[in-house]
Amino acid sequence: MGIIRTEDLTYVYGEGTPFRKVAIDKINIDIDEGEIVGVIGHTGSGKSTLMQHLNGLLKPTSGKVYIDGEELFADKSRLKDIRFKVGLVFQYPEYQLFEETVYKDIAFGPKNMGLGEDEIDRRVRETARLVGLGEELLEKSPFELSGGQKRRVAIAGVMAMEPKVLILDEPTAGLDPRGRDRILGLIKEYHAEKGTTVLLVSHSMEDVAKTVSKILVLSDAKVFMYSDRSSVFARADELTSMGLTVPQVTRVFDRLRAMGIEFDDEVFSVDYAKDLVLKLLEEKRRH
Amino acid sequence: MIKDITIGQFFPGKSVIHRLDPRIKLLLTVMYIVMLFIAKSFSGLGVGIVFMLISFLLSGIPIKMMLKSIKPIVPIIIFTGILNLFFISSGDVLFEWKFIKITSGGVTTMVFMAVRIILLICGTSLLTYTTSPITLTDAIERILSPLKVIKFPAHEIAMMMTIALRFIPTLIEETDKIMSAQKARGADLETGSLIKRAKALIPILIPLFVSAFRRAEELALAMECRCYHGGEGRTRLKQLKTAPRDYVAVAIGALFIAAVILLNRFSPI
Ligand SMILES: Nc1ncnc2c1ncn2[C@@H]1O[C@H](COP(=O)(O)OP(=O)(O)OP(=O)(O)O)[C@@H](O)[C@H]1O
Ligand SMILES: [Mg+2]
């Protein structure tokens, strides 16, 4: 049994009003420990709603959520501990910064966990280094930083709690390509270093393809499929009809394959594609 | 969730009350309040009740909504009721025990005051139920606009009210989001002593203020980019026009006030 499991999880916004809306409908997922999973789906497919169930911020209308084998909402007093176990970084997390200094803001979560001074200090410095915030920034006010830096402070604030599961809701929204790559890179690095289970919510197939190994596709409040990268992208036509796109390079290489050129592997990133093409040309020249 | 609080309790409809000119509706509400305050006796209040009931029945607002509007002021009614009951000593003594003395005068005043407060709330709620907030601010602007000659910023005040109303739902949504985000970082908002709970609000209030200021700045900039420069020379999409029914309504209101004045003169109770 995986670290995250749901059973017929359903949530309805505005029950009993004219604005009733089923945001997620009978979701059954089972995610193994240590996995790095991309969650994709069109706007309004229920991604954020599902994520907020995984640390007990929303109470299911029906169905169950199990984290590490423990049922959420079975015992309300355990909820806070579960929130430390499942770290959730919201969409546009920089708007939740409030402390006088970056240091104090990152320390907010660990402090709420009741850790000792030394342990807090270690965690703050370690995560700051991990997300690429220099020592000199720690004593600055978070409101003086750039958008991308603020985003990294907010992510560090959750990482510093060292949760067993880290969920990031659209961590790259509104950033330029460089900021985006930087965030995705640090998520990958964090995953590699800590072995934490990571859920990465995104609109962008490109982002997801670069970062994760398995993909959960949501469509109209339901799970469309949960599988590894290549089997998801193999259903490119269905994804396109749902308003999602397969990464452009993947499409180009699918087309090349259809034209009879052999590749060993699915291609998800431009860098990898470049190497592949260069190798191919090299081989051709030698023949 | 905080979101469930309803503010701006407009209840859309097509009744004659909904269609009245908002300026006339404001005027009628003022007349109604005058009616309630000059009434000296229960019969005078009765006239107010009749006026209120007629408007209510015409408006087609469900009785449930009306009761909902009274609910929040029940504590005030009880509080003033108790004060009146114990501290007014006129008329016959009905009950006496140690220093507590209840008189018939106290009981009458208590009932009179309670009825008056309830009527006040019902009347003003009826106004907000049948008039959308935006229309209402429009009407206020028009009513205050003669004061522009003495440099009173009528348009600016109305614009401020409109913007405030527009952003209430946005701010509520934002509060909800920030609260969730801080809860995800282990913030405890529900337990602990009063001081601890007040302190726990800091992580919510600061981001909220920051984003409210940011929003205000952005909005101001956006308005300026679209050449907004205040009320001077501005025309409006929705012109307010009075119809015959508006004059009829005012006439009826005036008749009711006259009735109250007459009853004050000639009716004993
Ligand atoms: N607080 C709310 N009140 C009412 N309905 C809501 C609320 N939050 C979300 N919804 C509705 O629930 C559905 C799912 O929303 P959700 O935010 O989970 O989608 P999402 O997949 O995260 O979308 P996006 O990619 O735009 O972030 C949407 O149709 C939305 O309109
Ligand atoms: Mg979302």
Side-chain angles (χ1 to χ4, degrees), chain A residues 44 46-49 91 169-170 201 203:
Chain A
K47 303 181 294 287
S48 301
T49 308
Q91 232 162 328
D169 196 348
E170 309 245 2
V201 178
H203 272 116

Short mmCIF file of all heavy atoms in Angstrom, two decimals, chain A residues 44 46-49 91 169-170 201 203, ligand 2:
data_model
loop_
_atom_site.label_atom_id
_atom_site.label_comp_id
_atom_site.label_asym_id
_atom_site.label_seq_id
_atom_site.Cartn_x
_atom_site.Cartn_y
_atom_site.Cartn_z
N GLY A 44 -9.73 23.76 -13.90
CA GLY A 44 -11.00 23.36 -13.28
C GLY A 44 -11.21 21.86 -13.24
O GLY A 44 -12.30 21.40 -12.93
N GLY A 46 -9.96 19.90 -11.11
CA GLY A 46 -10.00 19.45 -9.73
C GLY A 46 -8.64 19.17 -9.11
O GLY A 46 -8.57 18.59 -8.02
N LYS A 47 -7.58 19.62 -9.74
CA LYS A 47 -6.24 19.33 -9.23
C LYS A 47 -6.03 19.95 -7.84
O LYS A 47 -5.66 19.26 -6.89
CB LYS A 47 -5.17 19.90 -10.18
CG LYS A 47 -5.27 19.40 -11.60
CD LYS A 47 -4.17 19.95 -12.49
CE LYS A 47 -4.24 21.45 -12.72
NZ LYS A 47 -5.27 21.93 -13.59
N SER A 48 -6.29 21.25 -7.74
CA SER A 48 -6.05 21.92 -6.45
C SER A 48 -6.95 21.35 -5.37
O SER A 48 -6.54 21.18 -4.22
CB SER A 48 -6.30 23.42 -6.57
OG SER A 48 -5.46 23.98 -7.54
N THR A 49 -8.18 21.05 -5.73
CA THR A 49 -9.12 20.49 -4.75
C THR A 49 -8.60 19.15 -4.23
O THR A 49 -8.58 18.91 -3.02
CB THR A 49 -10.50 20.30 -5.40
OG1 THR A 49 -10.89 21.53 -6.00
CG2 THR A 49 -11.52 19.87 -4.38
N GLN A 91 -0.67 27.40 -4.91
CA GLN A 91 -0.51 28.22 -6.11
C GLN A 91 -0.15 29.64 -5.66
O GLN A 91 -0.75 30.15 -4.73
CB GLN A 91 -1.85 28.25 -6.84
CG GLN A 91 -1.76 27.87 -8.28
CD GLN A 91 -3.13 27.50 -8.86
OE1 GLN A 91 -3.99 26.97 -8.17
NE2 GLN A 91 -3.29 27.76 -10.12
N ASP A 169 1.65 22.98 -5.89
CA ASP A 169 0.56 23.32 -6.81
C ASP A 169 1.04 24.41 -7.76
O ASP A 169 1.21 25.55 -7.34
CB ASP A 169 -0.67 23.78 -6.01
CG ASP A 169 -1.93 23.76 -6.85
OD1 ASP A 169 -1.81 23.61 -8.09
OD2 ASP A 169 -3.02 23.90 -6.28
N GLU A 170 1.26 24.07 -8.98
CA GLU A 170 1.72 25.01 -10.01
C GLU A 170 2.87 25.88 -9.53
O GLU A 170 2.75 27.11 -9.51
CB GLU A 170 0.57 25.92 -10.43
CG GLU A 170 -0.66 25.16 -10.78
CD GLU A 170 -1.04 25.30 -12.23
OE1 GLU A 170 -0.31 25.97 -12.98
OE2 GLU A 170 -2.05 24.72 -12.61
N VAL A 201 1.94 19.58 -9.38
CA VAL A 201 0.76 19.91 -10.17
C VAL A 201 1.14 20.92 -11.22
O VAL A 201 1.87 21.88 -10.94
CB VAL A 201 -0.33 20.51 -9.26
CG1 VAL A 201 -1.55 20.90 -10.08
CG2 VAL A 201 -0.69 19.55 -8.17
N HIS A 203 0.01 22.71 -15.39
CA HIS A 203 -0.71 22.73 -16.65
C HIS A 203 0.18 22.24 -17.76
O HIS A 203 -0.28 21.79 -18.80
CB HIS A 203 -1.02 24.19 -17.04
CG HIS A 203 -2.27 24.69 -16.49
ND1 HIS A 203 -2.32 25.72 -15.60
CD2 HIS A 203 -3.54 24.32 -16.69
CE1 HIS A 203 -3.56 25.96 -15.28
NE2 HIS A 203 -4.33 25.13 -15.93
MG MG C 2 -5.43 24.86 -9.24
#
